[in-house]
Amino acid sequence: MPPSSRQFRSSIDAAAQAALLDRELGLARLELRVVRLRQRESFRSAVGHRESRAALLVRWLDSAGGFGIAECSGRPDPYYNEEFLSGSLSLIRKFIVPLLDKRMTVRGLQQELGRIRGWNFTKAAVADSALDWLRRRGIHDLLDDWPAPRLERIPVGISLGIFPDSRQAIERVEQALADGYRRIKLKASPAAEMDVLRSALDACNGSERAIDANGSFSIEHMEMLLGLTRDGIDMMEQPFPPDRLDWHGGLRGGLGGTRLCLDESIESIGDLQSAAIIVGPHELNLKPGRVGGQLEACWLLQSCLSSGMGCWIGGMFETGIGRLANLRHAACLPDATAHDLSPSSRYFERDIVMQPLEMDDDGTIAIGNADPVELDEQAIDEMTEHKEVLEPGR
Ligand code: OSB
Ligand code: MG
């Protein structure tokens, strides 16, 4: 029998958490790289259009040739949140590296990163590269402290962009259903043709149907949104801008059978508590980087599991490195029907990990053995657009 949330007893053991926080992080240098991966298909959403994925990789290097690695999930432009790739590089260079100390602990790193407001994707990339170093060295694996059984197969859904016409929309939905995806999530915007969205929704044909507006609707679109829920959408994600918890709260009561999900609004455990009071969302799209990294993601996971709020893991078109990290969190959620973690082979002609993740016909990804992801260093080198190695400030 698969584990279920009913087996979830308590939060991560306090002693285990304290032990993790006290670990020393043998830091010698920090490497920043920007790699560019070619996409198989372009993608349009309310926050922009993309043809290729520039990914920022952060490597935590020790003095013995060991490393930890993490991918920054942020976009190249500040249209999803305030972060943008060249800004992330600048923040790390100017404000993070000077705060790093060769003998610092996880707690010290958390404290220093906590002084910087916002920029969670960027801070997460640094913090998670340190946690990955602890894991690769066999010192401590944060998720081994998780207090419940973890899944070995993760059910995944697909996030589809805004389509130029109904024919293309229907074709793409049908293909996704044939591929076996457990949920179809369609990007929506008030500027896009509603008829195209409706035909895509119709094509979903009994499978779980979701829309994601990336905060592009406003209070004057309330009727339009309520109309969409009457079309039988199962889930609606982030219709209003991140700071409009009040509007989300107003919509919540009129939703009928449609579940309301928040994404951009939730950047911390505090945001989650406030949203629980003001909005009462049915579920959370949890992107570990958006809340500051894997440690914080565990706190939000625990909060959702103990309060009964639905939770699933979201993506930002990560490479295999970020994808596998997020899949490990998805493994902690036995009741989620689908996560936005479609295999990176869907987007990229070539990934930068040795075993690119593949989805089986039943719409699940097996996360395999517990070993850290093996990098395709040659692919990384070939795709590198920028590289710099920085010395910690202290
Ligand atoms: O809102 O979930 C979102 C990608 C970039 C920015 C925002 C979002 C997304 C996705 C991607 O939906 C889902 C994926 O990575 O497969
Ligand atoms: Mg979203």
Side-chain angles (χ1 to χ4, degrees), residues 80 159 185 187 212 214 237 263 285 287 315-317 323 340 342 347:
Y80 170 83
S159 168
K185 183 172 116 176
K187 290 289 184 182
D212 181 6
N214 289 106
E237 179 174 328
D263 174 351
N285 169 349
K287 295 175 180 168
M316 295 284 290
F317 301 132
R323 262 324 196 217
D340 273 359
S342 53
Y347 316 114

Side-chain angles (χ1 to χ4, degrees), residues 140-206:
H140 201 133
D141 180 346
L142 164 68
L143 286 173
D144 279 350
D145 297 335
W146 187 254
R150 285 179 278 159
L151 300 173
E152 281 161 24
R153 294 196 153 271
I154 312 299
V156 297
I158 190 169
S159 168
L160 295 176
I162 293 171
F163 294 98
D165 60 61
S166 296
R167 191 187 51 81
Q168 288 183 51
I170 293 167
E171 254 177 45
R172 196 64 188 82
V173 168
E174 283 172 349
Q175 189 194 325
L177 289 173
D179 290 343
Y181 285 103
R182 299 273 180 109
R183 176 178 66 209
I184 308 285
K185 183 172 116 176
L186 298 158
K187 290 289 184 182
S189 141
E193 281 296 334
M194 275 300 149
D195 286 349
V196 176
L197 178 63
R198 285 221 167 78
S199 28
L201 286 168
D202 287 343
C204 288
N205 203 7

Side-chain angles (χ1 to χ4, degrees), residues 14 41 61 70 111 129 169 181 204 270 292 299 321 336 347 372 374 391:
E41 56 184 47
L61 300 160
Q111 275 165 0
S129 72
Y181 285 103
C204 288
W299 303 338
I321 295 173
Y347 316 114
E374 197 186 333
E391 300 273 336

Side-chain angles (χ1 to χ4, degrees), residues 237-313:
E237 179 174 328
Q238 195 75 43
F240 301 122
D243 62 338
R244 295 321 301 249
L245 292 182
D246 52 343
W247 293 354
H248 285 100
L251 175 67
R252 169 71 173 77
L255 280 174
T258 304
R259 303 190 308 277
L260 181 61
C261 176
L262 292 177
D263 174 351
E264 285 91 330
S265 289
I266 310 300
E267 298 191 325
S268 65
I269 192 87
D271 286 346
L272 185 65
Q273 306 291 9
S274 304
I277 296 167
I278 301 169
V279 183
H282 300 84
E283 54 195 61
L284 170 68
N285 169 349
L286 177 61
K287 295 175 180 168
R290 194 194 63 228
V291 299
Q294 300 190 9
L295 193 54
E296 289 82 354
C298 284
W299 303 338
L300 274 86
L301 280 171
Q302 293 172 116
S303 169
C304 287
L305 288 167
S306 61
S307 73
M309 189 189 293
C311 182
W312 48 273
I313 305 297

